[in-house]
């Protein structure tokens, strides 16, 4: 609504000035005249052009320039001119309020009103994100014409690219903007539901992989493309991309940069030697003990990873030339990489030594990390709960901290902000609790299973399966690990502690209806999206349920470790864990506690037991050799009849193992075919899972042990007292395990299949 007659008069005069300015430029339409002014090329400095015209034609009145700028918004909304998106994004004339407001009045009131209603009804969208969605929609309409329903997916991508290229600092809201347009049915059904899926490039072709490096020699470029196509059927995408990087970038692009005009694979000795020297060394910046920074040349650890593909490339050409000489024969040349140069035996020994030292440093402090992430999760949850109950501006105390609930009128309704009166910083308690929980979940699952990071992120609600013993009816919970590196799935036994963690995760991600949301996940290695699945590691981001990525897990682990106070003795900085460290720690701890290496191999999903032993740190060499000799003798003496389908008696013996696991105070978790390493002293055994129902019985055993220790010390039976103290420590450990579990039964939320 127009406010007063004077403001209306100013608007009319401003529109007259705008039209006069445009009329002074050549063109058949207002759009052509607008482009002839040069305003779009000037970007945000277009006012200098219009100001010069005003000085020459209309005097120096201060109101003339603002009136002309305001009239330009009116002309855009009336579709007289259509500025480019890059100009609209960069110019402040089309502010986040003026343009949407005028568009809603003149162009598409119903469409923009519906979009505003959807944004306001979304609890995950802040008022600022809703305004950005209206502003971005108005920009597209202004540049492309038409109505809100005419916006195409390409228009959205063009706008976001314009924001990126213009370095416009627009915070957030892109996911909300795209999601609301998709919810309105503006896009077709084939368009992805989230902006994240839309903007992923997917797998590149061999041509695109090589063309990233802009090779000058066209024949060599075509040869590399043909070579990748020939190898593509036998490689996964990760290996294909790595091969393109080594051959295209680190080999031939480097050769061309230092030897312009080269067009043959037959490299002179000096060219090949110089390339290998550059490949072997790199320049890095280091900080001296005085605090100064300097450039130093160091050896690249992974330089042999490029030598092997280059040698294989030359050998493949020579081999293929025998079968197809016309195609590959002209490119056959001596390999610049010799057989001895790709020998990685010493490198592997160094790597093994380094990984063993890393494991030795981290295994003893693993309980500290576990306790720290659990305490941090509980403290963050207590702060968030107290912050939710506090009124804006009020103080609250939780987890030993006193904070002030922030007054944030423009924040999303599902965000809790608090001000720290000590540091003066504003904290997002919702985000802190979210990161603390998922760091706790990742640490617990990784250390309890030893699975890979990609296997962790692929765990779904369907990964929880159960096996019922046909004789006793006991349910055995199992965790199904999807095929990953070795393309073989496996089943892991779920311990009570792991079941408690999985139950906590499922309870967190479940919707009010009880269903686990289906989310797609992007495989960063294969560059493909997986179908929506009830993944366990998922979280809400900008109002969308997204799968957690490996990068997010690493970031959360780093933040969690910063709160532990653990110091890395090598660097003096905070101790750093990677997700793969937990796999090494799991295998090392399992074998040290008596688990046979070949059983650990099955649990870890390794095809070769030597790989499993390579993960094991500080394992005596004589034990390895003895075990390997034992396996060799056993395989030599084993009759071939053993490689057959088990008989009914053998199957009953296997099932009987699970029946014999049940003891008075709990369950035995040892693997089938393995002896009891503690001679049935269950309370001493780490594989004994105490039953919460038997806590009074274990407490009675503990009290009896205390009395017997006192009697032994009184009578001077020191040897018996020492043995009783070991049993007492085991009993107290079992009581502590029971106390850590909050309930006697754990709901894993296993999915059920209904029949129609």
């Amino acid at each position: 609504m127009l406010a007063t007659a004077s403001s209306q008069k100013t608007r009319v005069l401003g529109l007259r000035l705008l039209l006069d300015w445009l009329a002074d430029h050549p063109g058949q339409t207002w759009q052509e005249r607008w482009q002839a002014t040069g305003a779009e090329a000037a970007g945000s400095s277009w006012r200098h052009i219009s100001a010069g015209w005003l000085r020459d034609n209309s005097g120096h009145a201060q109101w003339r320039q603002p009136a002309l700028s305001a009239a330009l918004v009116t002309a855009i909304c009336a579709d007289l001119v259509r500025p480019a998106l890059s100009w609209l994004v960069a110019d402040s004339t089309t502010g986040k309020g003026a343009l949407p407001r005028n568009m809603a009045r003149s162009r598409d009131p119903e469409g923009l009103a519906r979009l505003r209603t959807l944004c306001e009804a979304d609890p995950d969208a802040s008022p600022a994100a809703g305004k950005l969605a209206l502003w971005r929609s108005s920009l597209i309409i202004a540049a492309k014409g038409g109505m809100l329903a005419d916006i195409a997916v390409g228009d959205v991508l063009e706008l976001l690219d314009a924001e990126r290229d213009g370095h416009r600092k627009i915070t957030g809201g892109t996911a909300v903007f795209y999601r609301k347009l998709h919810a309105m049915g503006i896009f077709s059904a084939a368009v992805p539901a989230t902006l994240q899926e839309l903007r992923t490039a997917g797998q590149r072709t061999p041509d695109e992989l090589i063309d990233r490096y802009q090779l000058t020699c066209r024949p060599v470029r075509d040869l590399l493309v043909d070579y990748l196509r020939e190898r593509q059927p036998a490689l996964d995408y990760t290996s294909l991309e790595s091969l393109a990087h080594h051959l295209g970038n680190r080999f031939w692009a480097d050769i061309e940069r230092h030897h312009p005009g080269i067009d043959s694979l037959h490299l002179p000795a000096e060219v090949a030697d110089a390339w290998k020297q550059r490949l072997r060394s790199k320049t890095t910046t280091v900080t001296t003990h005085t605090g100064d920074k300097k450039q130093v040349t160091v050896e690249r650890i992974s330089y042999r990873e490029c030598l092997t593909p280059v040698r294989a490339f030359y050998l493949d050409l020579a081999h293929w030339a025998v079968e197809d000489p016309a195609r590959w024969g002209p490119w056959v040349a001596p390999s610049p990489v010799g057989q001895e140069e790709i020998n990685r035996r010493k490198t592997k020994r160094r790597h093994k030594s380094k990984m063993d030292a890393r494991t030795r440093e981290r295994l003893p402090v693993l309980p500290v990390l576990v306790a720290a992430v659990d305490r941090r999760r509980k403290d963050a949850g207590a702060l968030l709960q107290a912050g939710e109950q506090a009124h804006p501006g009020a103080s609250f105390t939780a987890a030993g901290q006193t904070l002030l609930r922030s007054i944030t009128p423009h924040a999303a309704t599902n965000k809790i902000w608090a001000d720290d009166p000590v540091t003066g910083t504003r904290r997002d308690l919702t985000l802190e609790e979210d990161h603390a929980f998922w760091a706790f979940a990742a640490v617990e699952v990784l250390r309890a299973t030893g699975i890979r990071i990609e296997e962790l992120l692929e765990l779904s609600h369907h990964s929880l399966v159960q096996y019922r013993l046909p004789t006793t009816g006991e349910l055995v919970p199992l965790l199904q690990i999807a095929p990953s590196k070795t393309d073989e799935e496996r089943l892991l036994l779920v311990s009570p502690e792991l079941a408690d963690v999985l139950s906590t995760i499922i309870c967190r991600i479940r919707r009010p209806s009880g269903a686990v949301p289906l989310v797609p996940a992007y495989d960063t290695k294969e560059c493909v999206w997986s179908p929506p699945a009830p993944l366990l590691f998922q979280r809400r981001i900008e109002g969308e349920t997204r799968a957690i990525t490996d990068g997010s897990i690493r970031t959360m682990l780093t933040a969690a470790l910063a709160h532990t106070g653990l110091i890395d003795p090598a660097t003096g900085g905070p101790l750093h864990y990677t997700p793969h460290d937990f796999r090494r720690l799991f295998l090392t701890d399992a074998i040290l506690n008596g688990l046979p290496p070949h059983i650990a191999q099955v649990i870890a999903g390794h095809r070769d037991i030597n790989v499993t032993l390579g993960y094991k740190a500080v394992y005596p060499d004589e034990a390895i050799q003895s075990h390997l000799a034992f396996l060799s003798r056993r395989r030599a003496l084993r009759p071939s009849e053993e490689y057959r389908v088990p008989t009914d008696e053998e199957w009953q013996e296997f099932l009987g193992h699970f029946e014999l696991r049940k003891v008075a105070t709990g369950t035995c978790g040892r693997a089938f075919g393995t002896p009891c390493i503690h001679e049935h002293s269950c309370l001493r055994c780490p594989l004994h899972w105490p039953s919460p129902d038997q806590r009074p019985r274990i407490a009675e055993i503990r009290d009896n042990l205390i009395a017997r220790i006192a009697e032994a010390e009184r009578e001077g039976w020191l040897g018996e007292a020492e043995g009783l103290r070991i049993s007492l420590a085991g009993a107290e450990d079992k009581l502590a395990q029971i106390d850590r579990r909050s309930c006697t039964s754990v709901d894993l939320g296993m999915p059920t299949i209904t029949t129609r």
Side-chain angles (χ1 to χ4, degrees):
M1 177 179 289
L2 299 178
T4 61
S6 60
S7 60
Q8 169 67 354
K9 181 179 179 181
T10 302
R11 291 187 182 90
V12 172
L13 291 175
L15 185 58
R16 185 177 300 168
L17 289 172
L18 174 66
L19 296 178
D20 289 343
W21 174 49
L22 296 177
D24 266 4
H25 294 83
Q28 298 296 321
T29 63
W30 294 114
Q31 176 68 15
E32 293 176 356
R33 292 167 179 166
W34 159 255
Q35 294 174 345
T37 61
E40 288 191 3
S44 59
S45 302
W46 73 275
R47 289 178 183 81
H48 297 300
I49 299 176
S50 59
W53 181 87
L54 288 173
R55 284 194 302 269
D56 296 338
N57 297 274
S58 302
H60 299 278
Q62 295 182 354
W63 62 269
R64 297 183 186 276
Q65 180 61 51
L68 188 146
S69 299
L72 180 58
V73 176
T74 303
I76 292 173
C77 294
D79 207 16
L80 288 180
V81 295
R82 295 180 182 177
L85 276 174
S86 57
W87 183 89
L88 289 167
V89 169
D91 186 60
S92 60
T93 300
T94 57
K96 296 182 180 63
L99 185 63
R101 185 171 56 250
N102 284 276
M103 280 291 183
R105 289 173 180 169
S106 59
R107 184 74 67 88
D108 191 3
E110 294 182 0
L112 292 174
R114 185 185 171 198
L115 178 60
R116 181 182 292 105
T117 302
L118 285 175
C119 293
E120 293 174 351
D122 189 350
D124 296 317
S126 64
K131 291 181 179 179
L132 281 172
L134 291 169
W135 178 68
R136 287 187 170 108
S137 301
S138 301
L139 289 184
I140 295 176
I141 296 174
K144 305 298 181 180
M147 312 283 276
L148 187 66
D150 299 323
I151 295 179
V153 176
D155 299 333
V156 175
L157 295 179
E158 184 180 350
L159 172 63
L160 298 180
D161 290 341
E163 293 179 0
R164 179 199 61 202
D165 296 339
H167 305 288
R168 185 74 181 269
K169 293 183 179 180
I170 303 173
T171 56
T174 54
V176 175
F177 164 56
Y178 180 86
R179 188 171 67 249
K180 295 310 171 186
L181 292 183
H182 196 283
M184 293 177 67
I186 294 177
F187 305 141
S188 65
V191 175
T194 62
L195 184 63
Q196 191 182 24
E197 294 179 65
L198 181 67
R199 301 199 78 175
T200 51
Q203 294 186 352
R204 293 183 171 93
T205 63
D207 301 72
E208 294 171 335
L209 290 173
I210 293 298
D211 287 340
R212 292 180 300 176
Y213 310 119
Q214 301 178 354
L215 303 183
T216 304
C217 182
R218 187 71 184 185
V220 174
R221 176 264 177 199
D222 294 340
L223 173 68
L224 293 177
V225 171
D226 290 342
Y227 179 76
L228 291 181
R229 287 176 181 162
E230 197 74 18
R231 293 288 311 277
Q232 188 174 12
L235 299 176
D236 56 26
Y237 182 74
T238 304
S239 302
L240 183 69
E241 188 177 33
S242 176
L243 183 61
H245 171 70
H246 288 310
L247 296 180
N249 185 31
R250 299 184 67 182
F251 173 55
W252 193 253
D254 182 83
I255 294 290
E256 286 189 342
R257 279 194 299 270
H258 293 85
H259 304 279
I262 191 169
D263 59 357
S264 173
L265 295 182
H266 198 300
L267 303 180
E270 61 274 11
V271 173
D273 292 342
W275 166 70
K276 285 183 282 189
Q277 182 59 36
R278 291 191 301 270
L279 186 66
R280 185 168 187 166
S281 60
K282 65 177 181 178
T283 303
T284 184
T285 302
V286 298
T287 303
T288 63
H289 65 280
T290 60
D292 299 328
K293 293 185 178 181
K294 64 177 183 178
Q295 299 285 332
V296 296
T297 301
V298 297
E299 180 178 328
R300 182 180 279 111
I301 299 176
S302 60
Y303 80 97
R304 282 191 176 87
E305 294 181 1
C306 181
L307 295 180
T308 302
V310 171
R311 177 172 173 80
F313 170 61
Y314 275 84
L315 296 182
D316 284 341
L317 293 180
H319 177 71
W320 296 347
V322 176
E323 300 176 355
D324 192 353
R327 182 181 181 186
W328 307 107
W331 294 102
V332 174
S335 172
V337 181
Q339 175 65 36
E340 69 285 351
E341 294 179 282
I342 62 173
N343 188 344
R344 302 181 60 186
R345 187 175 303 170
K346 178 184 283 190
T347 303
K348 289 181 179 179
R349 286 200 298 265
R350 290 179 179 176
H351 180 73
K352 176 68 168 64
S353 176
K354 183 183 297 185
M355 289 300 102
D356 286 354
R358 185 181 180 93
T359 301
R360 288 193 295 267
E361 292 169 358
R362 283 155 180 77
L363 184 57
V365 298
L366 182 59
V368 179
L369 172 61
V370 172
V373 295
D374 185 46
R375 183 174 61 253
R376 180 167 174 258
R377 171 185 68 103
K378 294 177 180 177
D379 291 347
L383 281 173
L384 179 61
Q385 184 178 6
E388 290 174 341
Q389 297 173 354
H391 296 288
S395 64
F396 59 92
T397 302
Q401 303 179 53
T402 300
L403 304 175
L404 296 174
R405 173 75 183 269
S406 303
I407 302 175
T408 53
H410 300 295
T413 56
N414 62 344
K415 286 279 189 179
I416 302 298
W417 293 83
D419 296 319
D420 191 334
V422 178
T423 61
T425 58
R426 174 162 290 185
R427 296 166 55 181
D428 185 351
L429 299 185
T430 306
L431 184 64
E432 289 183 7
E433 190 277 336
D434 188 62
H435 282 196
F437 175 84
W438 289 114
F440 156 80
V443 168
E444 289 292 338
V445 177
L446 287 173
R447 79 178 184 94
T449 60
I451 59 178
R452 305 176 179 93
I453 179 63
E454 59 268 22
E455 295 170 342
L456 172 79
L457 300 180
E458 290 176 359
L459 290 179
S460 72
H461 202 193
H462 297 154
S463 300
L464 296 167
V465 297
Q466 55 190 11
Y467 176 73
R468 185 181 298 274
L469 295 177
T471 53
T472 63
E474 179 186 358
L475 286 177
V476 180
L478 301 172
L479 188 65
Q480 184 180 19
I481 306 301
S484 60
K485 190 173 182 179
T486 58
D487 292 331
E488 294 180 0
E489 68 177 10
R490 59 191 191 277
L491 292 172
L492 303 180
L493 190 64
V494 177
S495 65
E497 291 78 10
L498 177 59
D500 192 21
V501 174
L502 295 176
S503 175
T504 305
I505 294 174
I506 293 172
C507 292
R508 180 183 181 90
I509 64 177
R510 268 179 171 167
R511 288 177 176 168
S513 62
V516 175
L518 303 179
V519 295
Y522 183 68
D523 190 337
T524 56
K525 303 295 185 183
E526 294 297 323
C527 296
V528 294
W529 283 90
S530 64
L535 300 178
L536 296 186
F537 280 79
Q538 55 174 272
R539 54 196 285 250
R540 299 284 293 177
I541 301 177
E542 294 189 27
E544 295 177 357
T545 303
R546 300 180 186 175
I548 299 178
T549 63
D550 58 347
S552 298
I553 292 292
R554 298 176 195 276
T555 302
M556 294 174 188
L557 283 178
T558 301
L561 282 161
H563 288 77
T564 63
L566 297 173
I567 302 300
D568 189 345
T571 62
L575 188 64
H576 180 65
Y577 276 74
T578 66
H580 212 70
D581 283 330
F582 293 97
R583 184 169 173 84
R584 298 180 181 276
L585 297 178
F586 172 82
L587 292 175
T588 298
D589 186 60
I591 298 178
L592 282 177
N593 282 283
L595 185 68
H598 62 283
I599 302 298
Q601 173 193 353
V602 176
I603 295 176
H606 291 149
R607 291 180 177 175
D608 187 355
I609 194 172
N610 293 313
V611 178
T612 306
L613 295 179
Y615 275 65
K616 168 67 183 68
V618 208
Y619 195 74
D621 182 71
E622 58 272 13
I624 296 177
Q625 299 303 326
S626 299
H627 180 75
L628 294 178
F630 164 74
L631 290 179
S632 299
R633 293 193 302 270
R634 184 177 176 183
R635 288 167 181 162
L637 298 175
R638 179 180 297 165
S640 59
E641 289 79 9
E642 290 191 9
Y643 298 96
R644 53 176 172 73
V645 178
T647 63
D648 293 340
E649 292 77 11
E650 292 168 338
W651 181 246
Q652 291 302 323
E653 180 185 355
F654 173 75
L655 296 180
H657 161 75
F658 293 95
E659 298 174 5
L660 294 175
R661 294 191 317 153
K662 196 68 176 177
V663 295
T665 55
T667 304
C668 178
R670 72 178 186 272
F672 173 70
T674 58
C676 179
I677 61 176
H678 287 90
E679 298 181 353
H680 302 283
S681 299
C682 297
L683 293 182
R684 299 184 181 186
C685 183
L687 296 178
H688 173 260
W689 299 337
S691 173
D693 298 334
Q694 297 299 321
R695 194 188 190 286
R697 183 187 185 97
I698 300 176
E700 183 181 350
I701 295 174
R702 178 200 58 189
D703 298 339
N704 180 264
L705 287 170
I706 294 175
R708 290 177 62 188
I709 291 173
E711 179 187 7
E713 291 176 343
R714 184 172 61 251
E715 298 295 335
W717 305 331
L718 300 183
E720 182 170 353
E722 185 65 23
L724 291 173
R725 288 192 186 95
I726 297 175
S727 298
L728 176 61
E732 291 177 343
D733 181 64
K734 301 308 175 187
L735 290 173
Q737 291 182 31
I738 295 175
D739 293 338
R740 284 197 298 267
R741 303 214 303 266
S742 58
C743 57
T744 58
S745 62
V746 177
D747 177 21
L748 291 179
M750 290 191 176
T752 57
I753 301 176
T754 59
T755 58
R756 296 182 179 178

